[in-house]
Amino acid sequence: MSSVAVLTQESFAEHRSGLTQQQVKVAALNSEEENDPPTYKDAFPPLPEKAACLETAQEPAGAWSKIRPIKASVITQVFHVPLEERKYKDMNQFGEGEQAKICLDIMQKTGAHLELSLAKDQGLSIMVSGKLEAVMKARKEIVARLQTQASATVAIPKEHHRFVIGKNGEKLQDLELKTATKIQIPRPDDPSNQIKITGTKEGIEKARHEILLISAEQDKRAVERLDVDKVYHPFIAGPFNKLVSEIMQETGTRINIPPPSVNKTEIVFTGEKEQLAQAVARIKKIYEEKKKKTTTIAVEVKKSQHKYVIGPKGNSLQEILEKTGVSVEIPPTDSSSETVILRGEPEKLGQALTEVYAKANSFTVSSVSAPSWLHRFIIGKKGQNLAKITQQMPKVHIEFTEGEDKITLEGPTEDVNVAQEQIEVMVKDLINRMDYVEINVDHKFHRHLIGKNGANINRIKDQYKVSVRIPPDNEKSNLIRIEGDPQGVHQAKKELLELASRMENERTKDLIIEQRFHRTIIGQKGERIREIRDKFPEVIINFPDPAHKSDIVQLRGPKNEVEKCTKYMQKMVADLIREESNTKIDLPAENSNSETIIITGKRANCEAARHRILSIQKELADITEVEVSIPSKLHNSLIGAKGRFIRSIMEECGGVHIHFPTEGSGSDTVTIRGPAQDVEKAKKQLLHLAEEKQTKSYTVDLRAKPEYHKFLIGKGGGNIRKVRDNTGARIIFPTSEDKDQELITIMGTEGAVKEAQKELEALIKNLDNVVEDSMVVDPKHHRHFVIRRGQVLREIADEYGGVMVSFPRSGTQSDKVTLKGAKDCVEAAKKRILEIIEDLEAQVTIECTIPQKFHRSIMGPKGSRIQQITRDYGVQIKFPDREENPAPATEPAMQENGEENGEGKEAKETDPTSPKKCDIIIISGRREKCEAAKEALQALVPVTTEVEVPFDLHRYIIGQKGSGIRKMMDEFEVNIQVPAPELRSDVISITGLATNLDRAKAGLLERVKELQAEQEDRALRSFKLTVTVDPKYHPKIIGRKGAVITQIRTEHEVNIQFPDKDDENQSQDQITITGYEKNTEAARDAIMKIVGELEQMVSEDVMLDHRVHARIIGARGKAIRKIMDEFKVDIRFPQSGASDPNCVTVTGLPDNVEEAIDHILNLEEEYLADVVDNEAMQVYMKPSAHEESKAPSKGFVVRDAPWAAGNNEKAPDMSSSEDFPSFGAQVTPKTLPWGPKR
């Protein structure tokens, strides 16, 4: 970079005015003159005369020259990049291309303004404007991105590298910014001493020069180490480090004496060589003198009193050293020794000994009994209550231990007694007027109790003046604690339990209502649904989106209300069906146990209404819900654009509902709800699709006319399933909601997608080939095709690509039928018409005789078995009416397909050998299918077998409210009869199909084995083991919020019971463990291991200057957690308002505690140096504007003003527009009420 120009307002003003003698004099004013108020002429200098001569104009205009120009906040610098150093040299692209993009990016990043221009030598000139910091950053970016970069290395001693970096890297950053270079310094573990500099040649030279200057300055300094016996360190440091500080100040040398806790004898000196030698000589002299003159005495002081001799942060030891010149040596905390050694001149040892005993006996420890739940009320909000006591007696340390019913006080005897009395009074008062209660509420309801933004819980707190403590979600605890006034606690408990009870009673129910009725139920503008919601305000009613084609209406709310709302809406649906079918439908009364619905009307209408009601019931019974785990990262791709992919799965699987978790929740759980078979199908498809997405997903789009889609899909999805099975690809057709109705998407692996694409393209090509054909159909069959407004023909058209089938008009004797459409579709439609004709011509009727008592069993629940047979074999099945009382022969009324048609009576049979009419079932259809259906019916005739099961296991087989036996009957499709308890019989009867009996019998015997194994296991699991543990260790074994004991219980699968504190008859040191014998022993060993560790632990107080606590703790406790993990100790800092803010407690194994204390003391020394430096700097810093503003303002004061000279002039009127006119405004002369002034 060849030239830099910096232009500011200040430099511009100086350039124009030049420097004069007068200015030099003004600059040399002493501090006293500067503090005096300015004269009127200095503050308001007169303007120069109009007719000033040329010579006068060259001189500064009076006192105006004294006013310092205002320094602008915006500066401008010009940088020049020579042609040979330009990174982008393409002349054709100036003002555009990469160079312009980089300049725009630099402006956005730094906030500076850049202007580029080309010099005659094709060099690049860049003018940068903005604030100084922005300009410097922009300069660095310009050098790095628009200039070619060079690099160089500079070698300086490794120990000088840290001075180049500076504190927190600030010096290095500043150097990089000034020189517009990148400086790379090797890491501390790298032995290299080479520093690499990257940038422009000029910048590299500047940076190299600065680094060598820093290194040269450090070469002038020296380091020396002096070995001095540890016992003489206090004499060298002096009381409160005064002596060593004095030497450091006089010699300018830094002297580092290791703290008492660190077992080092080496004293380190750092500074200029000559001054360092002086400091070393002075300390050697002190050391030699003390070695000759001092002697020692040893005295015994109780171990518990040692900390009082030491004092807060060792102050008491320093006081003794200052008063007597004697050093007191205290044994380490982990030592059992009580011997204290005094070292000093013989004549002063007696005085020092008196001081030691006085300090030891000046403090005492006491305790106050107070329930642990009251502790936070005693402390008060933000420690207010406790602060009142600690302010009166600052030397008293008050300690609250979590989970313990006592408060510990420590400090001077008199102060402790006063504080103890005050706390006892406070405790007594709180016990009289406060109470607490704990309630169990399932943690899943806690967020509902809290309410949105804490609305519910805050209302309860304010209303009843109580404190409610709800555990956080991560604890999974059910315990809620209420504290406060007894009456308020009772009322809050009552309300919370009511709320919880209401939530526990809440349930969700799915109601099947055909979608075509939804709009009618909702009503015009939602009138009818509003009525329902007003009638059942606690029930939330959710209708499905009309686009989803779902019949499921969801009700949610209190159980009883949901049931009432269900019955009300079912009645509405029944009314709608009644209106539609022209029948009367009577539902059972609300309080009735009857499950019978009575339908009255014409036979055909009753049959239609009955069929509709039964289908609704079947769908309701079949609804299920499953959860599938799919990685959350795949959810968006599975849902597809606007939910296209997931919608195709839902529609393909019978309208199931698939719910994905909220985006960003991190949950992998996807919920599928709907009919059981459809849910299972959707689950398989989802998992398959997810697997494809995880391996490799490839997508292709095809286009086909919408009318071809059904033909491509095929009947029941047959065609498309065939393509999918052959290729393994997934094919998605558009829904009615999609804008592009022609788009077909194929997904899967690349090979599978291409193969499926090829097959579909061939099918579509054939469909585009339109032909017209005809066929012959006997006129007697025409009616079957055209009745019900051509329902059969519509189905054929939908199924076979919109093919048009035209039958001759009625009345004509023509047998010619015309078909028009795609060639493949026409052929398929012809084939289907011939199949229908063949079925019509091959119709026969056969009889199947099965005793009437088995008919209900053959029909199955709600006629499901018979309906299945009619579907499977394409036949019609008619059951006879039940014979109740034999009567004269009448024409028997029939039942069709397992659906009751009335109650006719059967005539008496004259021939006893012939079958009764009530036993004959009529089957109609193709002969071969009728025969197959007959065999299927006969296979449904039930048989009975007996199984012996011990009587005492019967109640477990039946299960709670019969759930166990119902489950088995549903699973094996049999009826299981358990004998009445009073019979005490071991025989259980199983009735059902022969194919199901063996499975049911095996399942029942398997259940018996399970129950017998459970009985044996229960006996083994009841083993009890008692462990004796001192009660003081119980809280530690339980752990914070039960964490430790829960882990032991879980790990060893045992139940651990601690003694009840309130039960005086119960031994308080006995812990009972219940479980398998082996597991109880393992749990006992785990507990005893913890007890062993606890017995070895010690606690020590260490004095750390409170000013460094925050740095030792670190951001969010990160630093202190690291220390605790590293040394395996627990470190407790004093609470705000503690009597001794410097006292820190370390708990753990003795060795670990000692190492941790040494470590934090070293940290204290390191951090304290920074604190002291900062405090020293504060002395020299200008007070803040806030502090300055505290002084009373005198306003603006001037000397020698015209109105103070004794003449008749008055001070100007500040409110007068004449004396102080506005710029650009006309001056209005001042007038008086009695006329102008004369």
Side-chain angles (χ1 to χ4, degrees):
M1 210 172 274
S2 57
S3 63
V4 175
V6 182
L7 304 174
T8 66
Q9 293 273 3
E10 186 176 4
S11 61
F12 185 67
E14 286 175 0
H15 173 70
R16 287 195 61 182
S17 63
L19 289 173
T20 65
Q21 283 294 329
Q22 191 177 354
Q23 285 174 308
V24 173
K25 286 177 184 175
V26 170
L29 287 170
N30 61 31
S31 60
E32 287 178 16
E33 288 172 333
E34 284 179 355
N35 290 333
D36 288 340
T39 64
Y40 181 80
K41 282 187 179 179
D42 286 341
F44 304 101
L47 293 170
E49 293 296 327
K50 286 181 182 177
C53 64
L54 186 63
E55 290 174 13
T56 315
Q58 288 174 351
E59 293 297 319
W64 282 95
S65 61
K66 295 178 186 177
I67 299 171
R68 296 191 66 197
I70 298 167
K71 192 171 182 179
S73 60
V74 176
I75 67 161
T76 302
Q77 289 192 9
V78 179
F79 306 115
H80 187 70
V81 182
L83 176 64
E84 61 273 13
E85 289 186 20
R86 280 180 58 190
K87 201 178 260 188
Y88 303 97
K89 298 179 183 177
D90 189 350
M91 298 299 113
N92 297 326
Q93 288 191 341
F94 185 73
E96 57 183 57
E98 197 62 33
Q99 186 169 269
K101 285 179 188 173
I102 289 169
C103 289
L104 281 170
D105 188 44
I106 292 170
M107 285 196 282
Q108 285 174 355
K109 271 188 181 177
T110 62
H113 179 70
L114 272 65
E115 288 184 21
L116 277 72
S117 60
L118 274 177
K120 286 182 182 178
D121 61 356
Q122 298 302 316
L124 188 67
S125 292
I126 304 164
M127 186 165 75
V128 186
S129 305
K131 293 188 177 178
L132 180 62
E133 188 183 352
V135 169
M136 296 307 287
K137 284 181 181 175
R139 178 189 174 195
K140 187 180 176 184
E141 289 282 332
I142 289 165
V143 168
R145 297 170 71 177
L146 294 179
Q147 268 188 282
T148 53
Q149 303 287 296
S151 66
T153 57
V154 59
I156 64 169
K158 186 80 176 172
E159 57 269 22
H160 295 176
H161 285 193
R162 65 192 181 95
F163 298 104
V164 176
I165 296 166
K167 189 175 180 181
N168 297 327
E170 286 172 6
K171 197 162 188 177
L172 180 63
Q173 287 172 11
D174 191 40
L175 189 58
E176 285 183 333
L177 211 56
K178 274 183 186 175
T179 60
T181 57
K182 174 70 179 169
I183 301 169
Q184 291 174 291
I185 295 174
R187 294 175 63 80
D189 52 0
D190 187 346
S192 171
N193 64 353
Q194 298 283 337
I195 295 175
K196 186 179 179 182
I197 310 166
T198 308
T200 61
K201 289 177 185 176
E202 186 184 351
I204 289 170
E205 284 304 314
K206 282 183 182 177
R208 190 170 180 276
H209 175 69
E210 289 291 333
I211 290 168
L212 290 172
L213 274 179
I214 293 166
S215 180
E217 197 171 321
Q218 294 306 317
D219 278 335
K220 294 176 185 176
R221 300 177 70 79
V223 177
E224 190 169 330
R225 290 172 170 78
L226 181 65
D227 203 33
V228 175
D229 288 345
K230 188 81 176 169
V231 293
Y232 295 105
H233 285 192
F235 298 111
I236 290 165
F240 300 102
N241 288 325
K242 285 179 183 175
L243 185 56
V244 76
S245 299
E246 188 183 316
I247 296 169
M248 284 165 66
Q249 198 170 354
E250 287 175 8
T251 62
T253 305
R254 183 177 171 81
I255 303 169
N256 185 18
I257 300 173
S261 59
V262 178
N263 193 22
K264 286 183 180 177
T265 58
E266 201 176 62
I267 297 174
V268 181
F269 301 80
T270 311
E272 300 289 340
K273 289 178 182 176
E274 291 180 10
Q275 294 168 331
L276 184 142
Q278 290 176 20
V280 171
R282 284 181 66 176
I283 283 177
K284 275 184 179 176
K285 186 180 176 185
I286 295 167
Y287 175 44
E288 294 300 332
E289 190 179 318
K290 290 296 177 185
K291 272 177 77 176
K292 287 177 186 175
K293 290 185 178 179
T294 58
T295 184
T296 61
I297 60 167
V299 293
E300 296 296 314
V301 176
K302 284 182 183 177
K303 189 77 179 173
S304 60
Q305 294 178 321
H306 285 191
K307 60 182 175 180
Y308 306 130
V309 176
I310 296 166
K313 208 181 173 186
N315 281 351
S316 298
L317 294 179
Q318 297 297 330
E319 285 172 12
I320 295 169
L321 181 61
E322 189 175 33
K323 282 183 183 178
T324 63
V326 173
S327 165
V328 180
E329 297 163 21
I330 307 288
T333 49
D334 56 344
S335 167
S336 59
S337 171
E338 295 186 341
T339 305
V340 175
I341 297 169
L342 283 70
R343 187 182 303 275
E345 294 174 16
E347 62 274 13
K348 294 181 180 177
L349 287 173
Q351 186 188 349
L353 184 59
T354 307
E355 288 286 338
V356 166
Y357 280 125
K359 299 282 184 192
N361 296 318
S362 63
F363 280 74
T364 187
V365 177
S366 181
S367 66
V368 177
S369 291
S372 58
W373 66 272
L374 278 180
H375 288 184
R376 63 196 197 87
F377 295 103
I378 296 166
I379 295 165
K381 194 175 183 181
K382 295 182 180 178
Q384 287 176 353
N385 297 347
L386 210 59
K388 292 174 186 175
I389 299 171
T390 53
Q391 282 167 7
Q392 293 174 14
M393 290 149 285
K395 292 185 179 178
V396 176
H397 172 62
I398 304 170
E399 187 178 340
F400 294 82
T401 308
E402 191 177 342
E404 287 190 13
D405 294 339
K406 68 171 184 177
I407 303 166
T408 307
L409 292 85
E410 186 179 325
T413 309
E414 291 180 10
D415 288 358
V416 165
N417 291 338
V418 174
Q420 185 174 349
E421 285 177 16
Q422 290 186 15
I423 291 173
E424 282 174 348
V425 169
M426 203 185 293
V427 170
K428 191 175 180 183
D429 174 53
L430 285 169
I431 287 172
N432 289 337
R433 62 184 178 84
M434 299 290 278
D435 195 7
Y436 81 94
V437 70
E438 289 179 341
I439 58 173
N440 264 301
V441 176
D442 196 322
H443 68 270
K444 70 183 176 186
F445 299 131
H446 287 185
R447 63 192 183 90
H448 301 294
L449 292 179
I450 294 166
K452 191 175 183 180
N453 297 326
N456 292 351
I457 207 69
N458 289 337
R459 178 185 58 77
I460 291 169
K461 285 179 180 177
D462 295 341
Q463 188 175 339
Y464 303 117
K465 309 294 182 206
V466 293
S467 167
V468 182
R469 301 178 72 186
I470 296 177
D473 287 344
N474 56 0
E475 286 181 22
K476 305 289 183 190
S477 171
N478 295 344
L479 209 63
I480 296 176
R481 188 182 179 97
I482 310 166
E483 299 166 352
D485 175 72
Q487 190 177 353
V489 166
H490 176 71
Q491 288 172 329
K493 175 189 174 183
K494 186 180 176 184
E495 184 163 341
L496 282 172
L497 287 174
E498 280 175 6
L499 278 170
S501 173
R502 207 178 306 156
M503 286 167 199
E504 282 173 357
N505 196 32
E506 192 174 88
R507 65 165 293 187
T508 301
K509 187 167 185 176
D510 286 336
L511 194 59
I512 303 293
I513 299 174
E514 285 184 63
Q515 196 181 37
R516 63 200 177 97
F517 292 143
H518 290 185
R519 184 168 289 183
T520 312
I521 292 169
I522 293 167
Q524 192 174 11
K525 295 182 181 177
E527 288 171 2
R528 293 187 72 176
I529 197 66
R530 263 201 302 276
E531 284 176 21
I532 299 169
R533 284 176 176 150
D534 291 342
K535 192 175 179 69
F536 305 100
E538 293 183 73
V539 179
I540 297 166
I541 305 169
N542 290 321
F543 282 84
D545 190 323
H548 289 165
K549 310 286 185 193
S550 174
D551 295 339
I552 300 172
V553 177
Q554 194 179 70
L555 309 181
R556 183 160 59 85
K559 186 178 178 181
N560 294 338
E561 289 297 302
V562 166
E563 289 300 329
K564 286 178 187 175
C565 186
T566 302
K567 287 186 178 177
Y568 183 81
M569 290 186 75
Q570 281 173 341
K571 188 173 183 300
M572 283 184 75
V573 173
D575 290 343
L576 292 170
I577 295 171
R578 183 190 66 220
E579 287 170 16
E580 195 177 59
S581 61
N582 196 21
T583 58
K584 181 186 176 186
I585 301 171
D586 294 320
L587 296 172
E590 275 191 26
N591 302 323
S592 168
N593 292 324
S594 171
E595 294 181 355
T596 305
I597 297 172
I598 299 168
I599 307 167
T600 311
K602 288 183 180 179
R603 182 184 294 279
N605 294 345
C606 287
E607 284 298 325
R610 180 174 179 275
H611 178 71
R612 291 274 297 286
I613 290 168
L614 286 172
S615 65
I616 290 170
Q617 186 182 10
K618 182 175 184 291
E619 285 179 16
L620 272 171
D622 197 33
I623 295 293
T624 185
E625 185 178 292
V626 297
E627 290 182 348
V628 186
S629 183
I630 295 173
S632 55
K633 64 182 179 182
L634 299 177
H635 290 183
N636 281 344
S637 59
L638 288 177
I639 293 167
K642 297 181 180 177
R644 191 160 174 249
F645 294 162
I646 206 65
R647 208 163 48 238
S648 75
I649 294 175
M650 289 196 286
E651 287 175 4
E652 193 177 324
C653 300
V656 297
H657 180 68
I658 301 173
H659 174 71
F660 283 82
T662 311
E663 191 173 355
S665 65
S667 172
D668 293 342
T669 304
V670 178
T671 308
I672 310 170
R673 186 179 180 86
Q677 286 184 344
D678 294 334
V679 165
E680 193 58 37
K681 188 177 173 185
K683 179 182 173 183
K684 284 179 183 175
Q685 288 204 22
L686 259 183
L687 291 172
H688 178 67
L689 198 56
E691 191 180 343
E692 277 185 2
K693 289 278 181 191
Q694 276 184 307
T695 51
K696 187 181 179 185
S697 186
Y698 184 75
T699 307
V700 161
D701 289 337
L702 282 180
R703 307 192 78 80
K705 291 177 184 177
E707 56 266 28
Y708 293 165
H709 290 187
K710 279 197 175 180
F711 181 74
L712 292 172
I713 293 165
K715 191 175 181 180
N719 295 351
I720 212 68
R721 197 180 300 115
K722 188 178 175 184
V723 175
R724 189 186 297 164
D725 293 343
N726 291 344
T727 63
R730 176 171 183 77
I731 300 147
I732 299 166
F733 284 84
T735 63
S736 56
E737 290 180 356
D738 292 331
K739 288 182 182 177
D740 193 344
Q741 288 292 307
E742 293 187 355
L743 190 70
I744 301 169
T745 306
I746 311 171
M747 293 173 58
T749 58
E750 189 173 353
V753 167
K754 286 185 176 177
E755 197 177 332
Q757 182 185 6
K758 191 177 175 183
E759 284 193 32
L760 281 176
E761 281 175 345
L763 284 169
I764 294 164
K765 190 176 179 182
N766 288 340
L767 290 172
D768 286 334
N769 182 18
V770 177
V771 296
E772 188 173 319
D773 199 358
S774 63
M775 63 183 294
V776 176
V777 177
D778 194 321
K780 69 180 180 182
H781 299 310
H782 287 193
R783 187 172 178 277
H784 176 79
F785 289 96
V786 297
I787 59 169
R788 298 193 303 277
R789 296 181 183 176
Q791 177 68 31
V792 176
L793 294 180
R794 279 203 304 277
E795 287 173 2
I796 291 170
D798 287 346
E799 196 172 335
Y800 300 105
V803 67
M804 289 174 61
V805 183
S806 301
F807 276 76
R809 293 189 178 202
S810 59
T812 62
Q813 292 301 310
S814 173
D815 58 2
K816 186 181 178 184
V817 176
T818 307
L819 296 93
K820 187 177 181 181
K823 188 177 178 182
D824 288 352
C825 295
V826 167
E827 289 302 321
K830 280 171 73 176
K831 188 178 176 184
R832 175 65 186 140
I833 291 169
L834 290 171
E835 284 175 4
I836 294 169
I837 293 166
E838 191 182 347
D839 284 344
L840 291 171
E841 288 177 344
Q843 288 276 351
V844 296
T845 300
I846 66 168
E847 294 180 351
C848 175
T849 305
I850 294 173
Q852 190 187 43
K853 64 179 180 180
F854 298 127
H855 287 189
R856 188 177 292 276
S857 172
I858 290 168
M859 286 181 186
K862 305 174 189 125
S864 59
R865 288 176 183 164
I866 290 303
Q867 288 164 15
Q868 186 65 43
I869 291 172
T870 57
R871 278 197 298 271
D872 291 348
Y873 300 103
V875 295
Q876 295 291 315
I877 302 172
K878 294 181 182 179
F879 278 77
D881 286 336
R882 290 181 66 81
E883 183 189 50
E884 293 177 1
N885 297 311
T890 60
E891 187 178 338
M894 308 298 285
Q895 290 179 345
E896 190 169 340
N897 299 336
E899 297 171 357
E900 295 176 7
N901 274 345
E903 296 186 357
K905 295 182 180 178
E906 190 184 334
K908 287 186 180 178
E909 292 292 343
T910 53
D911 185 359
T913 58
S914 64
K916 293 180 180 179
K917 284 191 179 180
C918 64
D919 296 338
I920 298 170
I921 300 167
I922 308 295
I923 307 169
S924 303
R926 293 175 73 96
R927 179 167 294 282
E928 65 274 14
K929 290 186 176 179
C930 286
E931 293 297 336
K934 183 178 179 181
E935 287 177 15
L937 280 174
Q938 288 169 340
L940 291 175
V941 177
V943 292
T944 302
T945 187
E946 293 181 343
V947 182
E948 283 205 10
V949 176
F951 174 74
D952 59 333
L953 296 180
H954 286 194
R955 61 194 183 97
Y956 298 113
I957 287 167
I958 294 167
Q960 192 175 14
K961 295 181 181 177
S963 59
I965 203 157
R966 263 202 311 276
K967 186 183 174 186
M968 289 177 74
M969 288 196 290
D970 292 343
E971 186 181 347
F972 302 116
E973 295 178 4
V974 294
N975 180 41
I976 301 174
Q977 189 67 39
V978 179
E982 56 269 17
L983 298 176
R984 303 192 67 80
S985 169
D986 292 342
V987 177
I988 291 178
S989 301
I990 306 173
T991 305
L993 303 181
T995 52
N996 295 339
L997 279 184
D998 291 337
R999 285 193 313 119
K1001 186 176 179 181
L1004 181 60
L1005 292 172
E1006 186 63 35
R1007 179 65 180 142
V1008 170
K1009 282 182 185 176
E1010 284 175 14
L1011 291 168
Q1012 288 172 339
E1014 280 176 19
Q1015 281 183 330
E1016 291 172 12
D1017 186 59
R1018 210 175 292 121
L1020 291 171
R1021 230 177 21 241
S1022 302
F1023 181 80
K1024 284 192 178 182
L1025 186 68
T1026 305
V1027 187
T1028 303
V1029 176
D1030 194 319
K1032 69 180 179 182
Y1033 297 132
H1034 289 191
K1036 289 286 184 185
I1037 294 168
I1038 293 168
R1040 184 175 174 78
K1041 293 171 184 168
V1044 177
I1045 202 66
T1046 302
Q1047 189 180 350
I1048 295 171
R1049 282 173 178 151
T1050 309
E1051 194 176 328
H1052 300 289
E1053 296 177 350
V1054 294
N1055 180 32
I1056 303 171
Q1057 196 66 39
F1058 284 82
D1060 186 354
K1061 289 182 182 177
D1062 300 330
D1063 190 351
E1064 295 177 0
N1065 301 324
Q1066 192 176 359
S1067 179
Q1068 292 297 305
D1069 60 355
Q1070 298 292 314
I1071 298 173
T1072 307
I1073 309 170
T1074 309
Y1076 294 113
E1077 185 175 358
K1078 187 179 177 182
N1079 292 0
T1080 56
E1081 288 171 356
R1084 176 196 61 194
D1085 295 343
I1087 290 171
M1088 294 314 291
K1089 185 183 177 184
I1090 293 169
V1091 171
E1093 288 173 359
L1094 291 170
E1095 285 174 342
Q1096 292 176 14
M1097 283 190 180
V1098 296
S1099 284
E1100 286 194 29
D1101 289 344
V1102 58
M1103 295 301 160
L1104 290 182
D1105 193 304
H1106 65 276
R1107 293 173 293 176
V1108 301
H1109 286 191
R1111 282 195 67 180
I1112 291 173
I1113 292 167
R1116 297 182 182 176
K1118 192 175 179 183
I1120 199 66
R1121 276 200 301 276
K1122 188 179 177 186
I1123 294 169
M1124 291 196 287
D1125 293 343
E1126 186 180 342
F1127 294 100
K1128 295 182 178 59
V1129 293
D1130 181 56
I1131 302 173
R1132 297 284 169 197
F1133 285 82
Q1135 295 178 346
S1136 59
S1139 60
D1140 186 354
N1142 299 325
C1143 185
V1144 177
T1145 306
V1146 186
T1147 307
L1149 296 174
D1151 292 346
N1152 294 351
V1153 168
E1154 185 180 355
E1155 286 175 14
I1157 289 173
D1158 289 348
H1159 180 72
I1160 57 177
L1161 286 171
N1162 286 341
L1163 289 176
E1164 180 201 28
E1165 183 189 5
E1166 182 184 332
Y1167 296 156
L1168 205 52
D1170 293 340
V1171 172
V1172 171
D1173 290 348
N1174 287 340
E1175 287 178 354
M1177 286 298 293
Q1178 291 296 328
V1179 176
Y1180 303 104
M1181 289 180 76
K1182 183 181 175 183
S1184 66
H1186 176 68
E1187 288 174 2
E1188 285 180 349
S1189 66
K1190 289 180 184 175
S1193 174
K1194 295 178 182 177
F1196 184 68
V1197 181
V1198 294
R1199 291 181 289 121
D1200 304 334
W1203 54 83
N1207 53 19
N1208 293 330
E1209 288 192 49
K1210 293 180 182 178
D1213 182 4
M1214 299 286 286
S1215 62
S1216 165
S1217 59
E1218 187 179 6
D1219 289 347
F1220 292 92
S1222 300
F1223 286 109
Q1226 190 176 354
V1227 180
T1228 309
K1230 194 173 180 184
T1231 57
L1232 299 172
W1234 49 82
K1237 207 188 269 188
R1238 283 192 172 88

